[in-house]
Amino acid sequence: MILPISNNVQNKINFSAEGKGKEKKQLEYEHDTLLNNNPVTRTNIAIDKFQNMLTVYPAKGLKGSKNANFYEFLTMGTVPYLVGSATLMGVFNYANKHYKHFASVKASELGRKMALGVLLYAAFKGISKTFINTPVKLLTGIDLEQPYAKVIYELPDDVNDTDITSIEHHKVFESVEFSRWDLLYGDESKGEKRNFRYDKIAKKLGMGKNLKDSDQEVKPRIKEIVVKSNLAKNISSYLWAATGVALAFQQPWDDYFQVMTFKFWKGKEFKKSMSSFVKSLKKSAKAFYKGEGYGIKKQAGKILLFSAILSSVLGVVNTMSSSKKISKTDAADVIKKDDRYVVN
């Protein structure tokens, strides 16, 4: 009989040549591990991805590594986005010295606002997702952005290679069809109930308490919520991103650009710069909301802002609505103990 390899055995495998004296690499995780979704974790994941997409992953691609995979390809997709953003920010700003004085001033104003627009585009687009994730988590107990560390066992490049593991950072619900349901089960060896996470979700969704198989009951509902929330985030994020760009092109930012500096070691100048940034942000927000001119032009800011807000609100409402009606019928309402039943 062939028995499956257990996690404990698998973690002790060492693909190294005998007699070479190389120690096995100490793993940060010994198996796929659910991570806490907090600022520290998200920052660490972002740093790890950034480092790998500039060093490890391109190197593997250039040498045609058999271990290169689709995750690495998608992660490196951020590189052209960053390069393109930097290019857009520098198009006007780095060529100013070649213009005449008047043209240089105008180019600087536009270039700085374009640079700020790129930054606010990314910031508003990222923050907007919390407008969907946070209320959905509070109302359902489902963390749509729940991260986990995936341990990848790679093929050795040569007979002496012992560093054959890598860590990828994924999200439990990044794939609707292949969600990592197994990671949501409790660890009974630590005294956790197997379905304690599913029990909490079932309770918040109004599906009842102490369900016999709460995991099976809530999985279809979770899938529906994930699909609807993904649509809501896709629509609202671009409206919020457009709002960020529009905010960046308001006139009050010119006051900030006059004293702008990132030299934090120059205390007074940096403090003055940050103070001006806050003031310009407030004035720009007011200018964006009030608008200029007449008619639709004057109301454009309000229309864009309320469209973004409405998209988030309706997105949450649609996510929480369910086409799956919760049955209120109990077994006692269907089976009558006094009657006879024949099974053919």
Side-chain angles (χ1 to χ4, degrees):
M1 179 175 66
I2 300 176
L3 298 176
I5 300 176
S6 66
N7 285 336
N8 292 332
V9 175
Q10 188 178 13
N11 293 331
K12 296 178 182 178
I13 296 177
N14 189 343
F15 293 92
S16 62
E18 295 181 2
K20 296 299 180 180
K22 290 187 177 181
E23 295 182 359
K24 183 187 173 184
K25 175 185 175 183
Q26 185 66 35
L27 296 181
E28 184 178 2
Y29 305 100
E30 294 188 347
H31 51 77
D32 294 357
T33 305
L34 200 66
L35 303 177
N36 293 323
N37 189 6
N38 54 44
V40 175
T41 300
R42 292 194 292 270
T43 301
N44 289 336
I45 291 174
I47 293 174
D48 180 74
K49 284 188 173 182
F50 183 77
Q51 291 176 337
N52 288 332
M53 74 181 183
L54 295 179
T55 56
V56 178
Y57 299 159
K60 292 172 70 174
L62 288 172
K63 70 179 183 180
S65 173
K66 53 193 172 186
N67 292 308
N69 58 32
F70 192 57
Y71 169 84
E72 297 172 2
F73 168 77
L74 291 178
T75 302
M76 286 190 293
T78 309
V79 174
Y81 173 81
L82 295 176
V83 173
S85 298
T87 302
L88 184 61
M89 293 167 69
V91 164
F92 289 88
N93 297 312
Y94 293 133
N96 291 344
K97 61 183 180 181
H98 300 293
Y99 303 152
K100 293 181 180 180
H101 178 70
F102 180 78
S104 177
V105 171
K106 293 299 180 182
S108 295
E109 291 178 0
L110 179 59
R112 288 169 179 171
K113 287 182 179 179
M114 288 184 68
L116 183 61
V118 171
L119 296 176
L120 292 185
Y121 174 93
F124 274 53
K125 187 179 178 183
I127 294 173
S128 68
K129 294 179 181 180
T130 62
F131 301 154
I132 304 294
N133 296 329
T134 300
V136 169
K137 184 178 180 179
L138 291 173
L139 294 171
T140 68
I142 303 170
D143 188 348
L144 300 170
E145 300 293 317
Q146 180 70 62
Y148 75 93
K150 182 178 180 62
V151 179
I152 302 297
Y153 293 93
E154 301 178 337
L155 297 172
D157 291 323
D158 59 68
V159 71
N160 298 318
D161 192 4
T162 60
D163 185 7
I164 61 168
T165 57
S166 64
I167 302 296
E168 296 179 357
H169 292 100
H170 295 268
K171 295 175 183 177
V172 171
F173 301 114
E174 68 183 11
S175 170
V176 178
E177 294 300 321
F178 302 100
S179 299
R180 290 300 304 269
W181 304 109
D182 57 306
L183 296 177
L184 297 180
Y185 288 109
D187 189 346
E188 294 177 323
S189 65
K190 296 181 180 179
E192 297 176 345
K193 288 181 62 178
R194 176 174 171 77
N195 284 349
F196 81 94
R197 290 190 179 90
Y198 293 106
D199 291 339
K200 289 180 180 179
I201 295 173
K203 182 180 178 181
K204 286 204 169 190
L205 290 175
M207 302 177 70
K209 303 177 183 178
N210 301 319
L211 300 178
K212 185 177 180 181
D213 297 305
S214 59
D215 55 338
Q216 300 304 318
E217 294 285 344
V218 302
K219 282 179 182 179
R221 183 72 178 95
I222 292 176
K223 281 187 176 182
E224 183 182 16
I225 289 173
V226 171
V227 171
K228 289 183 175 181
S229 66
N230 286 341
L231 174 64
K233 285 186 283 187
N234 286 335
I235 294 174
S236 67
S237 64
Y238 286 102
L239 288 172
W240 281 109
T243 302
V245 174
L247 178 62
F249 277 81
Q250 300 305 308
Q251 192 67 30
W253 285 113
D254 292 339
D255 297 333
Y256 166 66
F257 294 142
Q258 297 299 321
V259 296
M260 179 182 65
T261 181
F262 299 107
K263 298 177 180 179
F264 58 87
W265 55 88
K266 294 184 177 181
K268 291 183 179 180
E269 294 181 13
F270 184 72
K271 184 177 180 180
K272 183 179 179 181
S273 174
M274 294 305 297
S275 176
S276 178
F277 175 83
V278 174
K279 291 179 181 178
S280 297
L281 176 60
K282 291 180 180 178
K283 291 180 181 179
S284 295
K286 291 180 181 178
F288 167 72
Y289 186 79
K290 290 182 179 180
E292 297 179 351
Y294 302 93
I296 191 67
K297 183 180 179 181
K298 184 174 180 62
Q299 304 302 324
K302 294 185 181 72
I303 293 173
L304 180 57
L305 176 61
F306 286 113
S307 296
I309 294 173
L310 190 62
S311 68
S312 295
V313 173
L314 292 180
V316 173
V317 172
N318 182 60
T319 299
M320 293 307 302
S321 64
S322 177
S323 59
K324 298 176 175 60
K325 302 299 181 181
I326 300 174
S327 177
K328 301 294 184 181
T329 305
D330 189 76
D333 300 326
V334 179
I335 300 176
K336 296 181 180 180
K337 297 180 180 179
D338 297 334
D339 291 350
R340 290 184 177 182
Y341 298 90
V342 178
V343 179
N344 293 327

